[in-house]
Amino acid sequence: MSALSAVLLRDSQVRVMENTVNNAEKYFGQFCVLLAAYTRKTARLRDMADLLVKQLLDFANTENPEMRTTLKNFAEELAKIQDYRQAKVERFELKVINPLRLYETQIKQTRAEIKKFNKVRNNEIKQLEKLERLRQKSPSDRHTISQAETNVQKAAVDMNRTTHQLEETIDIFQKQKLKDIQKIFSDFVTIEMVFHAKAVEVYSKAFQILENYDLERDLEDFRAKVHGVRGNVDARPINATNPSSSLPWSFATPSAQSTMQNQRQEEEEMSGEASTEEDQIEDLRETKTSRIRK
């Protein structure tokens, strides 16, 4: 193979290598930006759901016992899902976003190797052109021509060594890139599957809580209040149905009285208790949602 043919072959090789690095820089950068935005939106959804949980708890305190218990237990299940969503955000950062960010450094290092290769290649081309000019202008100057040929040989040896090093570097880069893209998106899908599996389980329980709501019992209490008859309002302690919950949702209630005078007194007591209960729920909710990110 002539020296010119060797140069042309190396030009073709380096174009393939540069395209590999350029594509990695372009698409890995885009993946990083898009998945970071995806993660931020997931975090915002978590925050909005936490606000929804708080509103459900506030509303529950205005309702009759059956609806109060149902909504508090329902809100507790929704809060669990936000815990899973928070875990998803953290895993995205660790297993998806961070590995993509690392490629900026790897790409810079690989570009430095290509730059070094181009410098050596340009020197080889320069020596070849110098030799050709000497052969054309001073074909009888054997000493100068011989020195130029020696320089060309040295440049060729240096070029072969640099080419071999670059080929190894690009091969390692390409292999790692393919493995990483497989792992990054496998982790992405796994994180989503785990979250959705947990979410379906909790949503199913939340749905069952709503299905078990005793509407007629609350209506009886409401109608009794409207007609001035003491119903079942606050006649029983309110407990969360989920045994795994850390929220001690139970409240003491006054006993039923038979006279209108006692009922008025009880209503005043209930008003004070409702205010106390609201403060308790707010304190509990602040503890439950202390992990909400800005």
Side-chain angles (χ1 to χ4, degrees):
M1 181 184 297
S2 66
L4 181 58
S5 298
V7 170
L8 293 175
L9 176 60
R10 292 189 187 108
D11 284 346
S12 177
Q13 288 176 314
V14 79
R15 278 196 297 271
V16 172
M17 296 174 186
E18 287 177 334
N19 286 337
T20 298
V21 176
N22 290 340
N23 288 336
E25 182 178 39
K26 174 183 176 181
Y27 290 104
F28 274 62
Q30 290 176 349
F31 290 148
C32 188
V33 169
L34 290 172
L35 288 168
Y38 185 99
T39 302
R40 288 193 299 272
K41 285 186 177 293
T42 301
R44 285 199 291 270
L45 179 58
R46 171 207 62 205
D47 293 343
M48 294 304 297
D50 279 327
L51 292 176
L52 174 60
V53 168
K54 183 180 184 304
Q55 289 298 310
L56 284 169
L57 293 173
D58 291 345
F59 176 65
N61 287 325
T62 69
E63 287 298 313
N64 292 321
E66 292 296 323
M67 178 56 76
R68 182 185 300 179
T69 302
T70 296
L71 285 181
K72 287 179 178 178
N73 291 331
F74 175 71
E76 184 180 353
E77 298 305 314
L78 290 187
K80 287 181 183 177
I81 292 172
Q82 307 327 307
D83 291 337
Y84 293 135
R85 188 168 272 121
Q86 172 62 22
K88 181 169 80 165
V89 169
E90 293 172 357
R91 288 168 185 163
F92 276 161
E93 284 286 344
L94 179 65
K95 293 181 173 292
V96 177
I97 307 301
N98 288 343
L100 286 171
R101 287 179 180 145
L102 292 176
Y103 264 82
E104 182 178 1
T105 301
Q106 294 184 34
I107 287 170
K108 285 182 179 179
Q109 292 173 348
T110 307
R111 283 196 183 282
E113 291 296 322
I114 293 176
K115 184 177 181 180
K116 177 182 176 182
F117 171 88
N118 286 331
K119 182 178 180 180
V120 175
R121 182 193 60 176
N122 291 338
N123 180 59
E124 182 186 30
I125 293 172
K126 179 181 177 181
Q127 296 300 329
L128 283 170
E129 290 175 344
K130 183 178 179 180
L131 176 60
E132 289 299 318
R133 286 196 301 270
L134 286 172
R135 285 173 175 171
Q136 291 176 6
K137 292 181 178 180
S138 306
S140 60
D141 189 350
R142 299 305 306 166
H143 176 73
T144 304
I145 291 176
S146 177
Q147 183 63 43
E149 289 174 343
T150 300
N151 292 337
V152 167
Q153 290 176 356
K154 289 180 180 179
V157 170
D158 195 15
M159 185 73 255
N160 288 334
R161 184 179 64 256
T162 305
T163 300
H164 181 69
Q165 291 174 348
L166 182 60
E167 287 175 350
E168 287 185 345
T169 299
I170 294 295
D171 188 76
I172 292 170
F173 175 85
Q174 178 71 357
K175 182 179 179 180
Q176 189 63 46
K177 182 193 76 174
L178 297 176
K179 287 174 64 177
D180 286 344
I181 203 71
Q182 179 189 32
K183 186 176 188 308
I184 287 169
F185 282 100
S186 292
D187 286 341
F188 173 81
V189 172
T190 299
I191 292 166
E192 286 284 17
M193 286 193 299
V194 169
F195 168 75
H196 286 291
K198 292 288 187 180
V200 167
E201 179 182 341
V202 178
Y203 276 130
S204 298
K205 187 170 183 180
F207 179 81
Q208 194 60 49
I209 288 170
L210 295 174
E211 283 290 291
N212 292 337
Y213 167 59
D214 190 346
L215 182 146
E216 291 300 326
R217 191 163 188 170
D218 266 352
L219 280 178
E220 289 176 6
D221 289 338
F222 176 75
R223 289 164 182 163
K225 287 181 65 177
V226 169
H227 291 89
V229 179
R230 180 60 181 161
N232 293 326
V233 178
D234 290 332
R236 292 167 289 109
I238 306 301
N239 295 311
T241 59
N242 189 338
S244 66
S245 172
S246 62
L247 296 180
W249 283 330
S250 61
F251 305 97
T253 58
S255 60
Q257 303 294 329
S258 59
T259 65
M260 293 296 294
Q261 181 179 0
N262 287 338
Q263 182 174 339
R264 284 194 300 272
Q265 182 179 354
E266 288 172 359
E267 288 176 351
E268 292 175 357
E269 293 174 355
M270 287 166 55
S271 176
E273 289 175 355
S275 176
T276 301
E277 291 172 4
E278 183 174 356
D279 292 340
Q280 290 174 331
I281 289 297
E282 184 63 25
D283 291 340
L284 293 169
R285 184 61 193 140
E286 288 175 0
T287 300
K288 178 72 176 175
T289 60
S290 63
R291 60 173 174 70
I292 296 178
R293 301 295 184 269
K294 292 181 180 179

